[in-house]
Amino acid sequence: MLKRTHRLHELNKSLTDKTVVINGWVDRIRNLGGIIFVWVRDRYGIVQVLFEPGTQAYETAKVLSGEYVIGVEGIVRERPKDAKNVDLASGDIELLAEKVEILAESKTPPIYTNRDEGNEDIRLKYRYLDLRRRSLQRNLIFRHNLVQKTREYLNSLDFLEIETPYLMKSTPEGARNFIVPSRLKQGTFYALPQSPQIFKQLLMIAGFDRYYQIARCFRDEDLRADRQPEFTQIDLEMSFVDQEDVQETVGNLVKYLFKEVRGIDIGDVPVMQYQTAMELYGSDKPDLRFDMRMENLTSKNFVSKLDFLSPKAGEEVKMIVIPKNDVISRKDLDTYSESAKSSNLRLGWAKFHGNNFTGGIGKLLSAVESDVKVKEDETVIICAGKKNDVSTFLGRARTEIANKIGIIPQNTFKVLWINDFPMFEWNEEEKRFQAQHHPFTMPYLEDLNNESNDLSKIRAHSYDLVINGWEMGSGSVRIHTRELQERVFKLIGITEEEAKKRFGFFLEAFEYGAPPHAGFAIGVDRLVSVMLGVSSLRDVIAFPKTASGSDLMMDTPSEVPEAQLRELGIKLEEHR
Ligand code: ASP
């Protein structure tokens, strides 16, 4: 076999007139009759190989086709000045082939490997070919670098990388668990971890003090475009710390990653309270790359003059101002009025032009003009209705509109902490409160012990890291006494008996010297895609699943042979 002496990024002018051997895939071929040019590609780069007639190499080159794997021995030549290719890293040189060997032939591939286009389902079916694309290779190399830098950073702080099991017990972390039937103990099941949460807390109790893991997590949730049933986290936990310590460590890690892997200084990471985020941006993950924050008009005197928009008891009225632009049309704005209506909200809009409010509720606003702070050619949207609903509605509109009118700067990263989430949230389907983060989170004791007994008012020592409107990760200070943990379980409807059965081991561990501890987890897939500015998580995962949870290459999930089910003691119902 013609075995490479150089990888393709290693070829340059300094090797001029030297004989080298390269290996790679045929990227493209240009047959000019008298002469054949072949671009050879490997993970590191692309090099032009020249085949001149009258040689054995030329005869072989004639039968080459896209994606053939070849070895070429040849002489490095500097290209003539007018033939240099500035788009190729190796564009100064080419290789004059002396020998060529076909190491593997290839059928005509069903997708382009050198262009970012084509039907995604077919690309996912032939993922190993799609992964030959330069952009996907770049993404996975970037991801590798990010993970290595993470290890480097955390190791330097004496964190220990410790693996935890994939086969475990179902936990109440919020999502549904994937379950795995046991063959040896028929009728029983393992669960795949939603995260290593319980294990990392047990590692703190065991005294390991600072833990991390590049951990795979599994959640059987209804999928959305930006979700995968299995995903990776930089999972960490620390003992003898408070919230600020964890946030400082994680903030510095993220800063380090941006600097080292992306070459960007993100500065210090500011903190915003959950309540403030909801009030100003209608979102617990505000995108701060643009302003357009909300103004609360509820207590302003002039709102009573706003007719159908004036607040009824318990309601609020909020406004957002859209900066000057020609993109947002009256039709768009009317669409918002309509969709507000279907959410039981009332919405009006007006443009401010020539010192006058026009369109929509222009007439209404003219009467209170001096009270509404707005500049020439800006548009206001005012929404009234049930408290949180108004904020959420306008929060969503804010992001949609900013995208539409193109005011979101690219290649800018706004990183921030959101602190003090509510401990519990109401689950309408199950008619009960559940932990908003997870039930191992430390509630604010002064809130918990408050007479009012209003669970929705209890804050948690929990915090999210947000970048450009995406939740990048979450963490919390943990409960570390049995008594408090049992109390929280009870509040979310887990009976004492059930708690004992499912988490007896965990509750018991709290009785043997559990140190105060806190932790965090960063979503790797999302962090990489935001840092790279790619729109789909699939572009940063080697073998991703579709939005419906399928692997199109392996064609899975799929049925298993009857005998395998029998071994597990499983009988499928006739109609599924
Ligand atoms: N286990 C949590 C999660 O996966 C993160 C944490 O609290 O450390 O969201």
Side-chain angles (χ1 to χ4, degrees):
M1 167 183 143
L2 274 180
K3 207 183 329 167
R4 64 185 174 188
T5 55
H6 293 77
R7 291 173 289 164
L8 296 184
H9 64 306
E10 293 167 332
L11 299 189
N12 57 40
K13 268 196 301 198
S14 74
L15 293 167
T16 304
D17 296 334
K18 297 251 166 16
T19 298
V20 299
V21 180
I22 59 167
N23 290 136
W25 283 260
V26 171
D27 190 77
R28 61 195 77 177
I29 302 173
R30 258 186 319 145
N31 191 334
L32 301 184
I35 214 167
I36 300 174
F37 290 104
V38 175
W39 277 17
V40 177
R41 180 187 73 232
D42 73 2
R43 179 185 127 191
Y44 308 91
I46 287 183
V47 156
Q48 174 161 287
V49 183
L50 188 83
F51 295 86
E52 284 181 340
T55 58
Q56 174 269 329
Y58 181 81
E59 293 310 310
T60 311
K62 276 205 239 166
V63 304
L64 291 180
S65 179
E67 304 308 317
Y68 271 43
V69 183
I70 58 176
V72 183
E73 184 177 302
I75 299 175
V76 177
R77 283 205 326 202
E78 190 171 350
R79 291 203 206 187
K81 256 209 179 62
D82 57 349
K84 295 202 172 181
N85 184 340
V86 287
D87 295 331
L88 280 188
S90 67
D92 276 351
I93 52 118
E94 60 195 358
L95 197 64
L96 180 60
E98 295 192 319
K99 277 188 215 155
V100 59
E101 183 184 347
I102 294 174
L103 301 174
E105 295 179 2
S106 170
K107 293 209 272 186
T108 303
I111 56 169
Y112 290 114
T113 54
N114 51 17
R115 273 193 240 169
D116 291 337
E117 58 189 66
N119 176 295
E120 198 187 11
D121 282 359
I122 302 181
R123 291 206 268 114
L124 285 169
K125 180 163 158 46
Y126 293 93
R127 185 63 170 175
Y128 51 89
L129 292 179
D130 202 28
L131 284 170
R132 289 184 187 166
R133 266 194 300 142
R134 192 55 76 206
S135 55
L136 287 189
Q137 298 213 338
R138 175 204 65 173
N139 295 355
L140 293 185
I141 292 167
F142 183 95
R143 183 181 176 126
H144 161 86
N145 290 337
L146 178 128
V147 169
Q148 297 317 311
K149 289 288 168 194
T150 299
R151 290 201 159 99
E152 179 183 301
Y153 186 80
L154 293 174
N155 292 347
S156 78
L157 295 177
D158 292 330
F159 277 81
L160 296 173
E161 183 171 8
I162 302 177
E163 288 174 74
T164 53
Y166 278 170
L167 296 179
M168 66 172 295
K169 214 174 168 78
S170 174
T171 57
E173 275 182 74
R176 199 178 287 116
N177 280 109
F178 281 102
I179 57 170
V180 180
S182 157
R183 179 181 59 83
L184 295 175
K185 222 170 141 193
Q186 283 192 6
T188 63
F189 299 84
Y190 301 98
L192 299 180
Q194 295 184 33
S195 84
Q197 185 61 38
I198 286 189
F199 293 114
K200 66 177 174 176
Q201 290 193 238
L202 291 169
L203 287 171
M204 293 305 105
I205 296 174
F208 284 102
D209 192 16
R210 290 174 173 203
Y211 140 95
Y212 79 96
Q213 182 179 190
I214 311 299
R216 191 64 65 82
C217 306
F218 305 87
R219 296 183 192 174
D220 187 4
E221 293 181 288
D222 292 335
L223 296 164
R224 290 197 306 247
D226 61 329
R227 236 187 225 160
Q228 288 278 316
E230 52 179 311
F231 57 92
T232 308
Q233 287 185 344
I234 302 167
D235 191 49
L236 59 88
E237 196 74 10
M238 304 167 79
S239 288
F240 310 114
V241 291
D242 52 29
Q243 177 164 336
E244 287 72 34
D245 298 314
V246 177
Q247 289 186 302
E248 193 187 324
T249 306
V250 174
N252 286 340
L253 166 64
V254 170
K255 250 174 106 153
Y256 182 75
L257 294 177
F258 268 96
K259 186 92 206 121
E260 292 285 314
V261 195
R262 193 63 171 68
I264 289 177
D265 183 1
I266 55 165
D268 289 330
V269 183
V271 175
M272 189 184 287
Q273 297 298 307
Y274 169 85
Q275 285 303 347
T276 312
M278 294 309 290
E279 178 63 23
L280 295 182
Y281 301 99
S283 166
D284 57 5
K285 37 181 183 294
D287 188 341
L288 298 190
R289 286 176 298 171
F290 58 97
D291 194 16
M292 270 178 77
R293 61 177 107 166
M294 296 176 200
E295 196 182 334
N296 195 334
L297 306 180
T298 318
S299 58
K300 305 260 182 210
N301 286 330
F302 70 87
V303 284
S304 57
K305 298 188 197 138
L306 289 183
D307 191 45
F308 74 105
L309 290 173
S310 62
K312 300 181 193 140
E315 285 193 340
E316 69 178 354
V317 185
K318 283 183 153 184
M319 167 174 91
I320 51 174
V321 178
I322 306 170
K324 175 180 168 173
N325 75 89
D326 307 321
V327 182
I328 195 99
S329 65
R330 283 161 187 252
K331 199 163 144 256
D332 291 329
L333 293 160
D334 285 336
T335 312
Y336 279 112
S337 304
E338 284 309 310
S339 71
K341 224 180 258 167
S342 55
S343 307
N344 270 329
L345 299 168
R346 309 179 308 275
L347 184 143
W349 61 268
K351 290 188 179 251
F352 192 66
H353 184 69
N355 261 333
N356 244 326
F357 280 108
T358 62
I361 54 166
K363 278 216 183 72
L364 268 182
L365 288 185
S366 298
V368 295
E369 192 177 309
S370 56
D371 295 306
V372 183
K373 306 269 166 294
V374 63
K375 293 203 262 323
E376 180 67 8
D377 281 332
E378 289 183 331
T379 305
V380 299
I381 293 184
I382 298 181
C383 182
K386 221 167 117 197
K387 203 158 178 248
N388 295 336
D389 296 354
V390 169
S391 295
T392 320
F393 186 89
L394 283 185
R396 216 172 295 136
R398 172 183 177 267
T399 317
E400 265 173 35
I401 292 170
N403 268 311
K404 189 167 173 80
I405 66 177
I407 55 167
I408 305 183
Q410 299 305 304
N411 255 322
T412 301
F413 299 94
K414 289 287 180 196
V415 187
L416 79 155
W417 287 109
I418 303 291
N419 280 6
D420 298 343
F421 277 74
M423 178 75 196
F424 302 105
E425 67 188 356
W426 182 248
N427 181 330
E428 185 53 38
E429 228 167 80
E430 296 177 22
K431 301 275 179 244
R432 66 172 183 95
F433 275 98
Q434 62 190 24
Q436 205 202 55
H437 184 40
H438 51 59
F440 313 114
T441 297
M442 177 76 88
Y444 269 70
L445 292 181
E446 70 253 41
D447 294 355
L448 188 67
N449 296 331
N450 187 312
E451 304 287 87
S452 85
N453 256 343
D454 182 350
L455 291 193
S456 67
K457 294 250 155 61
I458 298 174
R459 289 163 301 161
H461 290 282
S462 70
Y463 33 91
D464 274 7
L465 186 77
V466 173
I467 306 183
N468 293 358
W470 291 94
E471 178 196 324
M472 264 323 126
S474 330
S476 58
V477 176
R478 322 300 186 186
I479 293 169
H480 66 280
T481 63
R482 177 172 188 144
E483 187 212 352
L484 187 54
Q485 189 62 75
E486 281 179 330
R487 194 165 155 200
V488 166
F489 279 155
K490 206 182 273 161
L491 289 173
I492 56 171
I494 300 181
T495 62
E496 212 171 302
E497 200 179 39
E498 199 186 341
K500 225 187 211 152
K501 195 161 151 208
R502 289 172 65 189
F503 313 108
F505 66 99
F506 192 49
L507 292 170
E508 198 179 359
F510 285 146
E511 295 180 302
Y512 292 95
H517 58 287
F520 200 75
I522 303 176
V524 174
D525 312 293
R526 197 165 278 172
L527 180 62
V528 172
S529 53
V530 167
M531 283 174 90
L532 282 170
V534 301
S535 53
S536 166
L537 291 183
R538 291 192 283 278
D539 286 347
V540 302
I541 298 173
F543 297 102
K545 300 205 169 39
T546 62
S548 55
S550 310
D551 180 326
L552 297 183
M553 183 183 65
M554 297 184 131
D555 186 22
T556 203
S558 50
E559 291 172 1
V560 297
E562 205 53 48
Q564 209 171 351
L565 288 179
R566 229 175 295 120
E567 263 186 342
L568 295 165
I570 292 179
K571 197 154 181 271
L572 296 181
E573 281 182 15
E574 215 48 57
H575 300 288
R576 273 168 286 149

